Each structure stands twice: as structure tokens, then as C-alpha cells.
Amino acid sequence: MKIINTQEPEKLVRERGILDVHSIFHTIQGEGPFCGQPAVFVRLAGCNLQCPGCDTNYTSNRKKMSHCDIWQEIVRVTGEAKTNLVVITGGEPFRQPEVANFINYLIDMKGYRVQVETNGTMPIPRELNYNCVVVCSPKAAKIHPSVSARADAFKYVMKSGNVNEEDGLPLQALDHRATPFIARPPVHFKGKIYLQPMDEQDDDANKANAQAVVKYAMKHNYIVQLQIHKYLGVE
Ligand code: SF4
């Protein structure tokens, strides 16, 4: 069944000391540089884009929370587990620039490791702690210069037949219109580039997507990833 994302795009918001939070949960990180590691996810509400094929629910709940409120909820969902990784996701986290201060609070005051996931279209605040790992998964044709300068890794979801032969990266992502194609890592990018097959809920299509990922990863030296949380049956 084809997914159509009907969640409205939202503008950048600045609110000192407060974040608009969708949900906080304890799980296994299923992709990116911390793949396989237990993590607490903080999903922030709202996104500035509206990718038609996006299946992430980021608007159904929202609660204004202070840094301390969020930290207390992280502690509560972690319970007695030893998890020390927090993944900030969305929606689009940098739609709320206050997220940088919250990340710095988690790293500097509470001793967590933090990864943030972004679509790359919003500026990354200068004050963001350099120990925060930034993963960009482009959906639009351009990414903000601050993201090009700061991203540690890029992540692309691949659909067979939707690939630029020259660099082996997808032309579009989740049916978002990007002309001529979605943003690339900067020239001479030294970080990691992940390719993962798109899940189309169709065995034949998924097999073709997996074959495309293997082909272009081998040709261009990208890293193949599967969204292992889906295989593990966790959120
Ligand atoms: S940028 Fe990400 S969260 Fe936002 S609509 Fe696109 S896929 Fe969904």
C-alpha cells in the first residue's frame, strides 16, 4: 500500500529552554553509525518538509517540555538499563534551534553520547557541541551550508531505478520532489555514506531495491545498511 504523508509542514520555532516533543522511548538504534546500540529516542514534533512517502508519525502527540523534563523522562524510560546514547530525531530536530542547547545539556551536564538526525535543510546552530554526531538524510535538492560543514555521515534510502549512475546515489527520497535530485555530500566528504533499501511493503520491489543497494555500494564504496529495528520488531 502506497503511503501518503498528510502531516502539514511546519515553520522554524524558537522557544528558550523549551522543546516541542512528540515521544520519548527506549529501543535499539536500527541504522547509522550507532546501528545495533541501545538508545533512548527523543522524537521532536513537526517537520519543515512533507515527503509524500514518509511513514513517520511526528505530529500525533506533542508536549512542551523543558530540558530537565526531557532528561527526567529519558531516565524514567531507561529504568535500570545502562543505555547512555540518546538519538534526537523527528520530524526535523533543527526546526527547533533550541535543540542545540538541549544536546549540549545532555553531553556536558549529563554525560550522554548524542546523535541527531536531520534532513539537512535547516541551519545547525553554531553552539552545537562538537561531540554530537550529526547524520544527514537529504530529502530536498539543497542542504544548508552549516550541515555540509558539520555532518558526520549521510544516509540515503534507495529505490531501484531511481539512481544517478555517476555517483550511485538516489535521485529522490520518499517521493519528495527535488530538482534535479536530492542533495549530495560535499565534495571530498570524509565521513561515512550509508545506503539502505527502501521498504515498499512488496517482496519483488524490496528485492530489486536490495540488489540496487549492493550494486552501487560495491561500485562507490558506500556502506550497506538495513533498518534492523524493523527486523527486530522494535519501534
Ligand atoms: S524530512 Fe523526514 S520526517 Fe520530514 S517529512 Fe521527510 S522523511 Fe518525514
Side-chain angles (χ1 to χ4, degrees):
M1 191 177 62
K2 200 168 162 64
I3 297 156
I4 299 289
N5 180 14
T6 56
Q7 300 168 102
E8 289 293 324
E10 295 178 49
K11 294 201 165 89
L12 183 142
V13 282
R14 292 180 194 280
E15 213 168 350
R16 190 83 186 149
I18 300 286
L19 289 169
D20 196 4
V21 178
H22 175 275
S23 51
I24 298 172
F25 52 95
H26 191 205
T27 186
I28 302 289
Q29 169 60 297
E31 53 196 37
F34 295 103
C35 184
Q37 295 195 27
V40 174
F41 271 58
V42 177
R43 186 178 300 290
L44 298 184
C47 185
N48 62 314
L49 300 182
Q50 188 187 32
C51 306
C54 174
D55 63 356
T56 304
N57 172 359
Y58 48 82
T59 54
S60 62
N61 308 310
R62 46 181 70 215
K63 188 174 174 188
K64 301 275 173 116
M65 298 175 81
S66 68
H67 298 182
C68 185
D69 292 340
I70 303 172
W71 169 68
Q72 284 176 344
E73 185 60 9
I74 289 170
V75 170
R76 191 190 70 76
V77 301
T78 305
E80 292 183 358
K82 294 181 178 169
T83 305
N84 67 350
L85 172 67
V86 175
V87 176
I88 312 284
T89 187
E92 170 49 47
F94 292 114
R95 190 184 70 83
Q96 303 181 60
E98 178 61 22
V99 72
N101 290 327
F102 174 61
I103 291 171
N104 297 351
Y105 165 80
L106 284 181
I107 294 174
D108 297 333
M109 311 289 287
K110 302 297 180 189
Y112 286 94
R113 292 176 302 157
V114 180
Q115 178 202 327
V116 63
E117 305 193 335
T118 177
N119 62 35
T121 53
M122 310 296 279
I124 296 184
R126 277 203 199 136
E127 62 270 24
L128 182 70
N129 191 305
Y130 260 83
N131 289 318
C132 174
V133 175
V134 177
V135 177
C136 177
S137 181
K139 304 293 183 301
K142 288 197 174 137
I143 50 177
H144 193 273
S146 61
V147 178
S148 297
R150 186 65 177 75
D152 296 287
F154 280 79
K155 193 174 72 178
Y156 291 89
V157 179
M158 180 167 278
K159 187 174 174 181
S160 172
N162 187 246
V163 182
N164 181 345
E165 288 295 329
E166 243 171 67
D167 62 10
L169 293 176
L171 297 168
Q172 262 76 37
L174 301 175
D175 298 332
H176 189 278
R177 266 178 274 149
T179 308
F181 45 69
I182 51 175
R184 275 29 194 169
V187 181
H188 308 308
F189 178 68
K190 296 277 190 293
K192 294 195 161 91
I193 300 174
Y194 298 102
L195 270 191
Q196 58 192 46
M198 185 172 175
D199 178 8
E200 297 192 68
Q201 317 268 311
D202 175 294
D203 286 349
D204 291 340
N206 285 359
K207 195 172 168 195
N209 295 345
Q211 285 170 348
V213 162
V214 171
K215 174 180 166 184
Y216 292 104
M218 290 181 74
K219 186 169 175 192
H220 294 279
N221 203 28
Y222 301 140
I223 300 169
V224 173
Q225 269 205 335
L226 302 175
Q227 294 179 297
I228 67 162
H229 53 287
K230 293 190 175 174
Y231 295 86
L232 298 172
V234 296
E235 197 171 354

